[in-house]
Amino acid sequence: MRLARLQQATTLALVGIASAWAVHALRQGRPVAAVVGVCFVALGHSFVLGLEFVLACCVHGNDPVARATWRQMLSAWRGEVLAAPRVFCWQQPFRSRVWADHLPDGAAGRRGVVLIHGFVCNRGVWNAWMQRLTARGLPFVAVDLEPVFGSIDAYVAPIEQAVRRIEAATGRAPVVVAHSMGGLALRRWWAEQGEAGRLHHAITIGSPHAGTWLARFAFSLNGRQMRIGSGWLQTVAAREDAGQASRMTCFYGNCDNIVFPPSTSMLAGADNRHLAGVAHVDMVSRPEPWDELLRRLAD
């Protein structure tokens, strides 16, 4: 809830700034300036996203994943420009509790789902997934990882609690779906609490399994833990069971503007799936991860 309140304040501040500028410019008889100012506030994030895509292109180097075409990058940028305000200015700050965890009375014997969000996100990023799961009567729990800027180690407890709730309601091991940093939180939990049989399958979406180049600019503890080659990543990898990756499906993309170079989202031994021409947050909206979840639930 702390992140939701922070993003509520940020969103309302942006609306206030845009409104104040528009009123000021209109009173001065400058309608064009009013429109330009409002557009700058509303679309300012598009320039930041554009810089991320430029960096992703520049550091691609000899990465084994095929370099994205400029058309793919442009399409991914456009999709992310639309997805970011929907997620960070609406779903997460104002709609994160619209869909409650769904543990119906008839859940016993059914396969359940645990949803784990990523960095500077909350359960609201999964709203479309939670709506579909509820409509299908499928049991699920969506976690909120806090503290927002703390250690990924601190997220073991809420994930353990979510898995226990699914186990108690269904009597079966869940499928876990994790986006971005959530994939690392899942692996950290699995290394400590994931005894054989407690997890049916794991699906990660744009998770920095080998870190991300962009994390070199991070100041938060969890951000620093996601740096390529970090000691934290090495420690988690050393504690993992050798066959763990074989029960994971990892979606990665050549247009990921947060986790790059692209191969850093891949995990040796896992079923690595390429999502071409789609950006980081927008990956959650793609049908492929959802279809994979339904397939694993039917196993």
Side-chain angles (χ1 to χ4, degrees):
M1 291 301 291
R2 294 177 183 175
L3 180 68
R5 289 193 290 269
L6 176 61
Q7 292 183 340
Q8 286 171 6
T10 302
T11 300
L12 294 175
L14 290 173
V15 171
I17 291 171
S19 300
W21 170 258
V23 170
H24 172 72
L26 290 173
R27 285 179 175 174
Q28 291 187 332
R30 301 165 59 197
V32 175
V35 173
V36 170
V38 170
C39 289
F40 180 80
V41 174
L43 298 175
H45 69 288
S46 64
F47 298 101
V48 177
L49 292 172
L51 176 60
E52 292 173 352
F53 281 100
V54 170
L55 290 173
C57 289
C58 291
V59 304
H60 187 279
N62 296 321
D63 193 80
V65 178
R67 186 183 292 271
T69 66
W70 70 268
R71 289 182 183 275
Q72 287 178 319
M73 281 292 189
L74 183 60
S75 176
W77 171 81
R78 183 171 59 247
E80 200 76 346
V81 167
L82 296 175
R86 182 184 71 245
V87 171
F88 296 104
C89 297
W90 179 240
Q91 290 178 204
Q92 293 186 167
F94 300 106
R95 306 280 291 177
S96 67
R97 296 294 167 181
V98 169
W99 299 101
D101 295 338
H102 188 59
L103 298 171
D105 292 337
R110 306 192 70 180
R111 184 78 67 190
V113 182
V114 175
L115 300 171
I116 308 174
H117 63 77
F119 184 62
V120 195
C121 288
N122 64 22
R123 68 193 303 278
V125 74
W126 299 110
N127 275 2
W129 289 59
M130 292 190 285
Q131 182 178 11
R132 293 196 292 261
L133 288 169
T134 302
R136 291 171 178 263
L138 294 170
F140 72 86
V141 173
V143 303
D144 271 329
L145 302 180
E146 293 188 347
V148 177
F149 300 111
S151 171
I152 299 176
D153 297 328
Y155 306 147
V156 170
I159 294 174
E160 172 66 12
Q161 182 182 34
V163 171
R164 285 184 179 274
R165 291 178 65 196
I166 288 291
E167 289 173 334
T170 68
R172 306 186 72 184
V175 176
V176 179
V177 185
H179 177 241
S180 191
M181 180 194 70
L184 297 181
L186 165 64
R187 288 174 57 195
R188 176 66 181 84
W189 167 82
W190 206 350
E192 181 174 320
Q193 304 284 352
E195 295 87 356
R198 293 199 68 200
L199 195 152
H200 178 63
H201 196 78
I203 301 170
T204 67
I205 308 170
S207 292
H209 292 299
T212 171
W213 184 91
L214 200 60
R216 65 184 57 203
F217 303 110
F219 293 99
S220 66
L221 179 53
N222 48 8
R224 296 195 301 272
Q225 289 170 332
M226 290 186 281
R227 291 174 178 170
I228 294 176
S230 74
W232 185 88
L233 285 171
Q234 295 177 37
T235 299
V236 171
R239 296 180 62 181
E240 289 175 318
D241 182 85
Q244 176 176 305
S246 64
R247 295 193 329 208
M248 297 181 69
T249 302
C250 302
F251 288 93
Y252 68 98
N254 61 350
C255 292
D256 193 323
N257 55 304
I258 297 296
V259 180
F260 56 83
S263 64
T264 56
S265 283
M266 301 170 70
L267 190 63
D271 180 5
N272 295 296
R273 310 272 188 90
H274 187 209
L275 295 176
V278 59
H280 189 69
V281 175
D282 203 23
M283 284 183 180
V284 176
S285 302
R286 285 292 292 262
E288 293 90 342
W290 169 258
D291 291 341
E292 176 66 6
L293 170 63
L294 295 184
R295 188 173 78 86
R296 294 297 176 177
L297 290 175
D299 282 350

